[in-house]
């Protein structure tokens, strides 16, 4: 075999080896896509679920006889995406919206589906008001607590945790939010392991450099 043939064979093997290895850009693009996909599934989906049936924190405070209400509607139970303030508060009311019935025509008996009933705590003030989604099951109890605070001049603060729908807000939102918790824990552990690995490599280099 000639030298030219050997050179061609070596060049062919090197080219095939380079072509068989994924480029750094392709590896980075794949990693970014995987992280975006994980972020969308583990954070975006739970955020959407808890936005459809949110939970809210309502804080009532009394200072010098003046009652102020701050209502924060949250994603993922703790991330506020809507805040309403009523200052001063003059009263509380409620609003109920019955679910609508949708009839689907099909061969045989028609299929009827009914949307969920909705309830709202109405915080009233002079020239202003705010509505907070509250499950119809809990609406009367929440209204009693709010009015009780308003009528008690000695009460300084009341914090209420209310849900728009127990089935979707707590059960559905809680289970989906576990994905977010697992994602955050996984990312944190991954970064921690990389940090520990860097420390170990730096320690080995420092030790090897000693005389």
């Amino acid at each position: 075999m000639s030298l030219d043939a050997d050179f061609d064979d070596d060049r062919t093997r090197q080219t095939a080896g380079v072509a068989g290895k994924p480029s750094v850009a392709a590896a980075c693009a794949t990693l970014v896509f995987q992280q975006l996909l994980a972020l969308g599934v583990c954070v975006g989906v739970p955020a959407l679920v808890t936005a459809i049936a949110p939970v809210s924190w309502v804080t009532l405070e009394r200072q010098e006889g003046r009652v102020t209400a701050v209502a924060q509607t949250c994603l993922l139970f703790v991330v506020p995406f809507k805040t309403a303030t009523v200052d001063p508060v003059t009263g509380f009311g409620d609003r109920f919206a019955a679910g609508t019935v949708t009839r689907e025509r099909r061969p045989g008996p028609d299929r009827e589906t009914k949307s969920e009933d909705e309830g709202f705590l109405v915080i009233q003030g002079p020239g202003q008001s705010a509505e907070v989604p509250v499950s119809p099951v809990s609406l009367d109890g929440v209204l009693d607590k709010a009015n009780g605070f308003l009528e008690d001049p000695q009460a300084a603060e009341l914090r209420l945790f209310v849900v728009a729908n127990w089935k979707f807000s707590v059960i559905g939102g809680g289970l989906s939010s576990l994905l977010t918790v697992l994602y955050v824990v996984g990312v944190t552990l991954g970064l921690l392991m990389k940090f520990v690995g860097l420390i170990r490599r730096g320690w080995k280099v420092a030790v090897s450099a000693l005389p």
Side-chain angles (χ1 to χ4, degrees):
M1 184 179 293
S2 66
L3 293 177
D4 290 340
D6 292 340
F7 177 75
D8 290 339
D9 290 342
D10 292 340
R11 185 170 59 182
T12 301
R13 285 194 295 269
Q14 290 175 0
T15 303
V18 172
K21 295 180 180 178
S23 65
V24 175
C28 291
T30 301
L31 180 61
V32 170
F33 175 76
Q34 291 174 346
Q35 290 300 318
L36 290 177
L37 181 62
L39 187 65
V41 173
C42 297
V43 179
V45 172
L48 179 61
V49 171
T50 53
I52 295 174
V55 303
S56 302
W57 296 90
V58 181
T59 303
L60 306 177
E61 292 183 343
R62 176 181 278 104
Q63 294 182 351
E64 299 179 355
R66 184 188 185 98
V67 176
T68 302
V70 177
Q72 292 183 319
T73 304
C74 300
L75 297 174
L76 304 173
F77 293 92
V78 294
V79 181
F81 74 93
K82 180 181 177 182
T83 301
T85 302
V86 178
D87 183 17
V89 176
T90 58
F92 294 95
D94 61 349
R95 184 171 70 85
F96 176 78
T100 58
V101 178
T102 303
R103 178 174 297 174
E104 179 184 351
R105 295 189 176 278
R106 61 180 184 177
D110 293 343
R111 181 180 179 182
E112 292 185 351
T113 56
K114 183 177 182 296
S115 62
E116 296 286 331
D117 296 334
E118 295 180 305
F120 299 88
L121 173 68
V122 182
I123 307 173
Q124 302 164 345
Q128 59 180 326
S129 65
E131 292 189 349
V132 182
V134 180
S135 170
V137 177
S138 307
L139 187 55
D140 290 339
V142 171
L143 185 60
D144 288 342
K145 291 179 180 179
N147 281 322
F149 175 85
L150 188 62
E151 296 168 0
D152 183 3
Q154 302 301 320
E157 184 179 23
L158 176 64
R159 188 169 174 83
L160 299 171
F161 173 74
V162 297
V163 299
N165 184 294
W166 282 103
K167 180 169 57 178
F168 293 105
S169 300
V170 177
I171 300 177
L175 291 176
S176 61
S177 295
L178 288 177
L179 292 174
T180 305
V181 174
L182 292 175
Y183 175 78
V184 172
V185 171
V187 170
T188 303
L189 290 177
L191 293 175
L192 182 61
M193 292 177 65
K194 288 184 178 180
F195 180 71
V196 172
L198 289 175
I199 292 178
R200 287 181 176 177
R201 284 196 293 270
W203 176 257
K204 289 180 179 178
V205 169
V207 170
S208 62
L210 293 176

